[in-house]
Amino acid sequence: VSPSNTIVNDEDTFKILIATDIHLGYLEKDAIRGNDTFVTFDEIMKQAVQNEVDFVLLGGDLFHDNKPSRKTMHCCMEVMRKYCMGDRPIIFEILSDQAVNFSHSKFPWVNYLDSNLNISIPVFSVHGNHDDPTGADGLCAIDLLSCAGLINHFGRSRSVEKLEISPVLLQKGNTRIALYGIGSIPDERLYRMFINNQVTMLRPREDEDGWFNLFVIHQNRSKHGATNYIPEQFLDDFLDLVVWGHEHECKIAPVRNEQQLFYVTQPGSSVITSLSPGEAVKKHIGLLRVKGKKMNLQKIPLQTIRQFFIQDVTLSEHPDLFSPEQPNVMLKVMDFCQEKVEEMLEEAERQRLGNSLTPEKPLIRLRVDYSGGFEVFNTMRFSQKFVDRVANPKDILHFIRHREAKDNIKGMDFEAILSHPTSEVLQLRVEDLVKEYFQKAEKNVQLSLLTEQGMGKAVQEFVDKEEKDAIEELIKYQLEKTQRYLRERRVEATEEKIDEEVKGGAFKEDLAIIRAKAHRDRSDSVRDDDLNLSDEPADIAVESDEASTSAPTIRGRGRGSRGTSRRGRGIYINIHKHI
C-alpha cells in the first residue's frame, strides 16, 4: 500500500469517514458539559453527509456507559436517523457471506440491503470496552442500534479460546476492501491468544493480493504492563491500514510500522474524558479515500470540541518569587496560580474568536508540584474566582508532590500513586492496583482463598460497570469451591488442618472470576444450591449453536446496488494462518 495525495473522487474510490471513542453520554448530568458528546456526534455525522462518504467506520466506545441512559440512547438514534437515512443510492457491493460477518445478529445482513429500511449512509462499528456485550445474552448497546437497523455491528467473537476473523468484503468499481474488525477483548486474554497462535485472519480466496486490507481494533496500544496491551507486531503483515481505537490521544496521521510494513492511524476520542496532556491535543476525525491499493487520509478538525488547556508548574523552580520560609507564602502562591489560570483563559478567548461552534467555557487544568516544603491551600476557595468562566470549576488545580521511594513498604502507598502526574494515574487499571496492593502487603493480609487477578477483575466490574454484586459473587463462588474441595479431600475439621490445605492453594485458579461468570451464564448447568447469576456482565461470550436467521427475499428497488443478494456471492474466504 502507498499513501497518495492525488486520489480523485470517481467510481473506483471509496470514501470512508473514520472516528473512534465518541463516548456518548459522558457527564450527561453536568450542567455545563452535559451535551458536549451529543453536539460533537451531530457534527461528525454531518461531516459524513457533507463529504458524501460511502460509509462511516467507528472504532468502538460509541457509548460511555455499558448501560446508556434513555436520554443518551435517544440522542444517538435521533442523530443517526437524521443523517443516515434517505434515498441517496449506495454504490458499493458487499461480496462476503453476511451470515458469517453478522452471525450474532437476528438480522444477519448489512442494513442498506434490508428492503424495509432506507439507508443512505451505512455505519459499521466494532464495540469498545465501555459498550461491550454483557449478561447472559451477551448483548450491548450497539446491538440495540443494530436491531433497529441503524448500525452494522461487526467484529464480534463468541469464543474465549480462539479468534477467527472473517472480513466484510466490499467492492466499488475496481476497488475492493477487506474490512476486518475485533471488538474489545480483555488485553491479557487477546495477548495470550496471539502468543498461542489462536488468532486467525481469513483472507479472500480469489486474487488474495488485490484487496485493500483495513483492520479496526479497540485495545491498549501503549504498554501498560507485560500483557496489558497488544503490540503492533502481533498483527498480520498483509494488512494495509490499522484503525486503532481505545487510545484517546489524537494521532490520526498514518504512521508506518517498519517491521510489519502497514500503516496505523489513531483517531483518538472526540470528547475530553480526562484532564491529561494527551486529551489536550487537537481532536480530529479522518476522511479516508481508497483506490486500488492506494490510500489518502484527510484530517478533519472538530469544531465543537470544548477547549482544554493544561499547564505544569513547579513551585521550587521560582525561588525569586517565593520560598517555603517566607511569611504569607501561601497567598503569594495563590496569586501565582491565579495568574497562570488567567493566562490560559486569555489564550482560550483568543483561539475561540471567529468560531461560533466552540463552547464558551473552556476546560482549565493547572498541575502544581509543591515539592520542597510548600503547603497546599484550599482549591475550592481558589476555584470560586473562576466558577462562571470555566467548565470545570471544581478541579482546576491539581497538587502533586514527588517523594523519594521508601525502603520498607507495608502496603501500597495510594497517596504516592496519586501524587504522580495525572496522565500516569489515569493509565492505571483498578485490577493492577489490587494486584500490586496484595503483592506488597504484609503476610497477614495476603489473599488465601482468592487470587489477586480474580479479585482485581471483580473490583473492576464493581467500579467500571457498577455491578454491585461482582465482588460478593466471586467470594461466594470461591468459598463454595473451597468447601467442596475440602469435603472431597476429607480434611479434618480443625483450624490447623484447614489452614494447611488452604496454604497449599491447589484449588485456586487465576481465572476464578471468569469461571464464575461462565458458570452464571450457562443457565442449563445451574444447580439449586448455586447462586442466582442471571443478569451480570460477562468478560466471556458463551458459545452458541443457534442457527443463523436466514435472509428474507429481496424486494429490489432499483437503487444502486441495493438489489444485490444479502448473502453476497459467497465466493471468498480461505483460511490463511499467519504465525
Side-chain angles (χ1 to χ4, degrees):
V1 66
S2 59
S4 174
N5 296 320
T6 59
I7 295 180
V8 295
N9 298 328
D10 57 25
E11 64 275 7
D12 294 326
T13 302
F14 270 101
K15 288 199 296 183
I16 307 164
L17 192 80
I18 294 177
T20 68
D21 296 86
I22 295 169
H23 287 273
L24 288 173
Y26 176 70
L27 290 184
E28 64 178 310
K29 295 181 180 179
D30 187 282
I32 300 173
R33 304 164 65 185
N35 288 321
D36 283 7
T37 58
F38 308 129
V39 171
T40 300
F41 185 48
D42 187 277
E43 179 189 3
I44 291 171
M45 298 309 296
K46 185 183 293 183
Q47 285 286 349
V49 173
Q50 291 175 349
N51 287 282
E52 298 181 337
V53 300
D54 292 299
F55 63 90
V56 174
L57 183 60
L58 301 180
D61 281 356
L62 175 60
F63 297 98
H64 183 71
D65 290 319
N66 189 265
K67 300 172 183 176
S69 69
R70 218 173 294 175
K71 174 188 174 182
T72 296
M73 185 60 76
H74 181 271
C75 288
C76 177
M77 298 177 79
E78 179 184 8
V79 170
M80 298 191 82
R81 177 169 174 172
K82 177 180 175 183
Y83 292 111
C84 297
M85 288 188 164
D87 288 327
R88 175 174 169 262
I90 293 172
I91 52 178
F92 66 89
E93 297 178 81
I94 181 164
L95 306 180
S96 51
D97 188 346
Q98 297 172 64
V100 174
N101 297 143
F102 309 108
S103 60
H104 58 279
S105 173
K106 295 292 184 182
F107 305 95
W109 53 84
V110 74
N111 63 348
Y112 76 87
L113 291 179
D114 193 310
S115 57
N116 297 310
L117 299 172
N118 217 23
I119 303 297
S120 60
I121 298 181
V123 178
F124 291 84
S125 180
V126 298
H127 62 262
N129 58 305
H130 279 254
D131 46 22
D132 61 328
T134 61
D137 297 319
L139 294 174
C140 64
I142 296 180
D143 288 320
L144 301 182
L145 298 178
S146 173
C147 188
L150 295 172
I151 210 165
N152 301 295
H153 183 196
F154 72 110
R156 281 285 299 269
S157 171
R158 292 188 178 274
S159 173
V160 298
E161 300 297 334
K162 63 181 180 179
L163 193 58
E164 192 172 85
I165 308 169
S166 183
V168 181
L169 301 180
L170 310 171
Q171 180 168 347
K172 181 180 180 183
N174 294 318
T175 299
R176 293 179 296 177
I177 293 180
L179 177 61
Y180 297 84
I182 300 180
S184 177
I185 295 175
D187 289 298
E188 297 92 338
R189 186 193 305 161
L190 185 56
Y191 189 101
R192 187 171 63 248
M193 286 183 184
F194 274 112
I195 289 293
N196 295 331
N197 296 319
Q198 294 300 313
V199 179
T200 304
M201 300 190 78
L202 307 181
R203 299 194 65 184
R205 183 183 297 123
E206 296 184 9
D207 190 19
E208 190 176 271
D209 297 324
W211 296 78
F212 184 90
N213 298 295
L214 178 60
F215 182 43
V216 186
I217 185 171
H218 188 100
Q219 305 289 152
N220 280 332
R221 185 182 179 194
S222 54
K223 189 172 183 179
H224 295 276
T227 61
N228 287 349
Y229 75 117
I230 303 301
E232 293 178 14
Q233 283 70 23
F234 280 7
L235 307 183
D236 289 82
D237 57 7
F238 70 81
L239 295 172
D240 297 309
L241 179 65
V242 177
V243 178
W244 209 296
H246 186 61
E247 301 285 358
H248 280 208
E249 183 175 352
C250 183
K251 298 179 178 178
I252 198 165
V255 176
R256 181 180 170 94
N257 183 302
E258 295 301 335
Q259 183 174 340
Q260 302 297 89
L261 303 181
F262 51 60
Y263 287 83
V264 180
T265 175
Q266 181 180 305
S269 66
S270 60
V271 63
I272 296 163
T273 61
S274 62
L275 302 180
S276 60
E279 296 274 26
V281 178
K282 178 71 177 175
K283 303 287 188 184
H284 294 81
I285 53 176
L287 179 59
L288 175 67
R289 291 180 173 88
V290 178
K291 183 175 182 179
K293 295 287 282 186
K294 291 186 176 182
M295 68 171 184
N296 169 260
L297 185 62
Q298 175 187 341
K299 295 165 59 175
I300 301 177
L302 292 170
Q303 305 298 325
T304 57
I305 302 296
R306 191 173 295 277
Q307 293 171 294
F308 173 39
F309 293 88
I310 184 168
Q311 188 174 343
D312 292 335
V313 294
T314 304
L315 299 183
S316 60
E317 293 178 355
H318 299 275
D320 54 322
L321 298 178
F322 36 65
S323 65
E325 299 79 20
Q326 286 179 330
N328 298 325
V329 63
M330 193 174 292
L331 292 176
K332 294 182 179 180
V333 171
M334 287 180 67
D335 291 341
F336 176 75
C337 293
Q338 182 173 343
E339 183 181 329
K340 293 296 181 183
V341 172
E342 289 286 356
E343 289 174 2
M344 287 189 276
L345 285 170
E346 290 172 8
E347 180 61 26
E349 185 63 28
R350 278 195 299 270
Q351 293 188 16
R352 193 168 62 248
L353 289 175
N355 188 351
S356 59
L357 298 177
T358 303
E360 182 180 350
K361 297 178 181 179
L363 295 165
I364 300 293
R365 168 54 65 90
L366 183 66
R367 300 192 301 186
V368 183
D369 185 343
Y370 65 104
S371 307
F374 290 94
E375 297 293 330
V376 300
F377 52 82
N378 190 313
T379 57
M380 294 301 293
R381 187 179 303 168
F382 176 87
S383 299
Q384 285 176 357
K385 303 173 185 177
F386 304 99
V387 69
D388 294 324
R389 301 171 62 191
V390 300
N392 59 316
K394 295 181 180 179
D395 53 5
I396 297 174
L397 285 185
H398 178 60
F399 285 103
I400 57 177
R401 181 170 60 178
H402 298 290
R403 297 179 177 179
E404 296 181 1
K406 297 178 181 179
D407 294 331
N408 299 319
I409 300 178
K410 293 186 177 180
M412 187 162 49
D413 189 345
F414 286 99
E415 189 176 344
I417 287 176
L418 296 176
S419 69
H420 291 172
T422 310
S423 57
E424 294 180 20
V425 174
L426 290 167
Q427 289 176 359
L428 292 172
R429 292 152 33 101
V430 65
E431 59 266 47
D432 295 333
L433 293 178
V434 172
K435 184 176 181 180
E436 186 179 346
Y437 175 80
F438 285 112
Q439 284 177 344
K440 291 182 177 179
E442 294 177 336
K443 275 194 172 182
N444 61 345
V445 291
Q446 291 282 2
L447 291 174
S448 296
L449 300 186
L450 302 174
T451 64
E452 289 85 1
Q453 182 179 355
M455 193 65 186
K457 287 189 177 297
V459 174
Q460 180 195 25
E461 295 222 335
F462 181 85
V463 173
D464 291 348
K465 299 180 182 177
E466 299 179 4
E467 296 295 344
K468 297 178 175 57
D469 299 326
I471 299 174
E472 180 184 3
E473 174 187 307
L474 171 68
I475 293 171
K476 285 185 177 180
Y477 174 82
Q478 193 67 11
L479 187 60
E480 288 181 356
K481 183 177 178 180
T482 307
Q483 290 169 341
R484 286 197 297 270
Y485 172 82
L486 294 174
R487 283 197 298 267
E488 290 168 2
R489 298 271 295 180
R490 300 184 183 277
V491 176
E492 187 180 340
T494 63
E495 188 173 340
E496 293 78 12
K497 292 290 185 182
I498 291 175
D499 280 346
E500 185 179 335
E501 287 290 337
V502 166
K503 286 175 183 176
F507 57 86
K508 286 174 68 172
E509 294 188 42
D510 282 341
L511 299 178
I513 183 66
I514 296 175
R515 294 180 181 276
K517 286 188 216 171
H519 173 72
R520 75 178 165 219
D521 280 347
R522 292 190 175 97
S523 56
D524 57 342
S525 64
V526 174
R527 304 195 324 269
D528 292 339
D529 59 341
D530 278 334
L531 299 171
N532 179 12
L533 310 174
S534 57
D535 191 26
E536 300 299 317
D539 277 345
I540 65 172
V542 182
E543 296 277 0
S544 173
D545 295 325
E546 184 176 86
S548 300
T549 307
S550 59
T553 307
I554 304 295
R555 304 180 205 150
R557 295 189 187 178
R559 291 175 49 199
S561 61
R562 292 178 190 269
T564 306
S565 168
R566 287 195 182 97
R567 294 182 63 88
R569 302 176 188 171
I571 56 173
Y572 302 103
I573 302 302
N574 180 28
I575 292 183
H576 191 107
K577 279 198 177 184
H578 291 261
I579 296 175

